[in-house]
Amino acid sequence: MASYRIQGRAERRAGIHYEFDPDEEPLGEGGMGKVFRGLRVDDASGSTRQVAIKFMFDDLPPSVIERARREASIQLRHENLVEMLGFIDTEETTPLGEVTHHYHVVSELLEGVMLDDLLQGKLNDRRGNPVAMAQKLYHDYQHDTYRFATHIVRSVLSGLMTLHDAGFIHRDIDPTNIMVTTAGQVKLIDFGIAKQMRSLTTGDKSLTVAGAFMGKPEYAAPELVLGDIKSQDQTTDIYAVGILLFQCIVGHPPFEGDRADVLQMQLHSKMPLHLIRNSDMRRVIANATEKSRAKRYQSAAEFRVALDHLPLQLKDSALAWRPAYTIAAAVGAAAIAAGVAAAVLIGGGDDTAPAPKPSEQVVDNRQGSSTQEADVSGTAIILSDVAATEAEVSGEARTRADYKALYAEADRLYHSGEISRTGRPALAKFEEALRMATEAGDAEYVRKCTKIINRIKKRL
């Protein structure tokens, strides 16, 4: 390609530069600038990585530039988050001797379909190539909406756990900021209005104005609607994810209409939960979208555990839904069916996709017809030896013991001295215990860890 080199002072110090082809068609264009495909080049080794480079328009106000700088600084690596790589500030001297700045935001290069397009049946990427994961998910959306919704939301919650642990809230979660990639991942993107939770720095205060609404009305928690900065925390994102879950099942968000009307409904109207016909799922969405922050799930981990703990079979007049089996459930099924030997189907590879039993039926709530599910998502692993399954269960038992012991150790540390000395080491242990409890699906310990983590963060 006819490459154009981009390198600011920070990139020179780091020994890297970026290249792009100005003659290539942009990947996209928005209100802040144009996005081009580019390369990140290591000056020493010559190794390269494909990236997306946003060339920001020159006439943007300083607040927008600072917001882009903040977005680029949230550099986290997680399969369900876009990876931000840097903010490039280049200088150019005019013939009159004036120095002008040009700004660029760099992120990993993602190809795929945005969730809002997928919900409308648009399943090809920008080049017109079909996206396999988008096709699979759209099939689920048409025939098994609970399965589809849970896959999307569990992925988003996984990304949020990492974002929240890093001290940020997203504040702009909706289908236009979620991508289904050609690599088969569900990615939460666009940290443009993300905010630090624990404290407001000087930069935060200049970017976040009390009383000003930021975000999209259809997904905005009451504290976001009011511009109540101090009350915006991880539960603000949880509210938006609850609405996303509702939309993925019903097909539209709970409140629609003019912007002002929707904002008022977020403050005062009850969620139309009668549209969620399964009572267990209805209860999960109700908890996530409570008007009061204190009544919502207090962490993304707690929300995810609630989804994972839905009954093995949710039924109503139109739907049948099966989450993935736990190992313990597989052992029980094996004992009942064979007594000694068992064939247990466990969804492999993508642990977010539920694995149905071949004997169960899914009733298509859109077509009204009952169809036998013949193909099982993921890899089917046949465990013909009960002893092998019991070994897995004993491994899970050890994991449970580990996080409970870690919780006890963190609790002793937390209460052993001044919070200024013991708070951060204890917080790290509690957060690790929370991750392990989430993986084990222990709702009680997730709640306990979340409660004390929030308490410590307020005191630090």
Side-chain angles (χ1 to χ4, degrees):
M1 67 180 182
S3 64
Y4 180 87
R5 181 186 176 108
I6 309 171
Q7 186 181 51
R9 293 179 181 178
E11 289 70 43
R12 279 195 292 273
R13 289 193 298 269
I16 60 172
H17 72 272
Y18 295 92
E19 297 177 359
F20 87 106
D21 183 354
D23 296 327
E24 187 175 307
E25 182 182 353
L27 297 175
E29 181 175 352
M32 293 172 60
K34 295 182 179 181
V35 180
F36 287 86
R37 182 190 306 271
L39 288 177
R40 176 175 173 151
V41 183
D42 186 289
D43 293 335
S45 67
S47 62
T48 62
R49 174 183 179 180
Q50 289 198 77
V51 296
I53 307 174
K54 180 189 291 183
F55 286 70
M56 302 189 69
F57 296 134
D58 291 333
D59 58 351
L60 296 173
S63 61
V64 174
I65 300 300
E66 288 309 306
R67 195 172 298 286
R69 195 188 302 271
R70 157 61 58 77
E71 177 183 15
S73 73
I74 305 175
Q75 297 183 14
L76 304 170
R77 180 170 291 182
H78 187 277
E79 64 178 349
N80 300 120
L81 295 175
V82 62
E83 184 181 358
M84 304 306 298
L85 298 173
F87 183 88
I88 311 172
D89 180 352
T90 60
E91 298 177 355
E92 181 183 6
T93 303
T94 69
L96 297 177
E98 297 177 344
V99 177
T100 60
H101 290 261
H102 302 288
Y103 304 105
H104 317 76
V105 176
V106 185
S107 67
E108 68 172 314
L109 179 65
L110 295 177
E111 298 279 4
V113 176
M114 302 309 298
L115 180 59
D116 67 321
D117 287 332
L118 187 154
L119 293 174
Q120 299 173 51
K122 301 174 184 177
L123 309 178
N124 296 342
D125 64 17
R126 54 178 294 273
R127 299 176 178 177
N129 299 320
V131 178
M133 177 56 80
Q135 292 176 324
K136 176 184 180 300
L137 287 173
Y138 189 66
H139 178 272
D140 287 343
Y141 179 55
Q142 290 181 307
H143 298 90
D144 191 344
T145 51
Y146 286 172
R147 177 188 181 111
F148 164 78
T150 304
H151 181 104
I152 295 294
V153 169
R154 289 181 80 241
S155 299
V156 172
L157 289 172
S158 292
L160 278 182
M161 288 170 63
T162 294
L163 185 65
H164 291 171
D165 284 350
F168 292 93
I169 55 175
H170 191 281
R171 300 200 300 175
D172 199 16
I173 298 170
D174 77 284
T176 66
N177 285 330
I178 298 168
M179 176 181 277
V180 177
T181 72
T182 53
Q185 297 168 318
V186 176
K187 291 259 191 181
L188 180 61
I189 67 171
D190 195 347
F191 304 145
I193 63 171
K195 182 183 85 71
Q196 284 185 312
M197 284 189 285
R198 297 175 189 173
S199 63
L200 280 176
T201 65
T202 302
D204 286 316
K205 292 174 182 176
S206 68
L207 298 177
T208 308
V209 180
F213 170 69
M214 307 188 78
K216 297 182 178 70
E218 291 81 4
Y219 306 87
E223 63 273 13
L224 202 59
V225 172
L226 295 172
D228 185 358
I229 299 169
K230 292 183 178 179
S231 295
Q232 294 170 17
D233 59 14
Q234 64 269 23
T235 65
T236 304
D237 283 344
I238 285 168
Y239 185 97
V241 177
I243 288 183
L244 176 68
L245 179 56
F246 178 102
Q247 180 176 2
C248 286
I249 295 171
V250 176
H252 58 79
F255 302 131
E256 296 180 287
D258 293 338
R259 177 186 175 89
D261 293 339
V262 172
L263 291 175
Q264 286 301 309
M265 286 188 277
Q266 296 288 18
L267 291 174
H268 306 297
S269 300
K270 291 183 178 180
M271 290 283 165
L273 294 174
H274 62 280
L275 298 176
I276 306 296
R277 288 179 289 179
N278 181 274
S279 60
D280 294 286
M281 184 63 80
R282 189 186 311 137
R283 187 159 43 250
V284 169
I285 295 174
N287 287 344
T289 58
E290 285 279 1
K291 304 295 186 189
S292 168
R293 291 184 300 124
K295 293 180 180 180
R296 296 174 206 154
Y297 297 118
Q298 294 301 295
S299 69
E302 186 180 0
F303 192 169
R304 178 162 171 166
V305 166
L307 282 179
D308 292 345
H309 275 65
L310 289 173
L312 283 178
Q313 179 112 11
L314 298 185
K315 291 183 179 180
D316 59 29
S317 60
L319 297 167
W321 163 245
R322 298 155 310 284
Y325 296 127
T326 63
I327 294 293
V331 174
I336 293 171
V340 178
V344 182
L345 290 176
I346 302 177
D350 182 359
D351 67 350
T352 63
K357 291 188 294 188
S359 61
E360 291 180 334
Q361 289 184 329
V362 178
V363 180
D364 182 350
N365 64 311
R366 297 170 188 266
Q367 302 298 326
S369 62
S370 176
T371 57
Q372 185 79 20
E373 276 205 353
D375 96 282
V376 179
S377 178
T379 304
I381 303 173
I382 306 300
L383 303 179
S384 59
D385 190 341
V386 172
T389 307
E390 289 174 342
E392 295 280 356
V393 175
S394 67
E396 286 195 349
R398 284 194 299 274
T399 300
R400 286 196 295 271
D402 288 345
Y403 70 74
K404 291 181 179 180
L406 185 59
Y407 178 93
E409 180 183 346
D411 192 55
R412 285 193 297 272
L413 179 61
Y414 175 53
H415 292 98
S416 65
E418 293 294 325
I419 185 68
S420 59
R421 181 174 60 84
T422 65
R424 294 195 183 281
L427 179 63
K429 292 181 182 292
F430 279 123
E431 288 179 338
E432 180 60 24
L434 173 61
R435 287 191 177 279
M436 296 171 71
T438 302
E439 292 174 0
D442 191 327
E444 178 187 358
Y445 266 79
V446 167
R447 284 193 297 270
K448 289 174 67 174
C449 290
T450 299
K451 184 176 180 180
I452 197 164
I453 285 170
N454 290 339
R455 186 187 309 155
I456 294 173
K457 287 180 178 179
K458 287 179 181 178
R459 295 186 61 188
L460 287 176

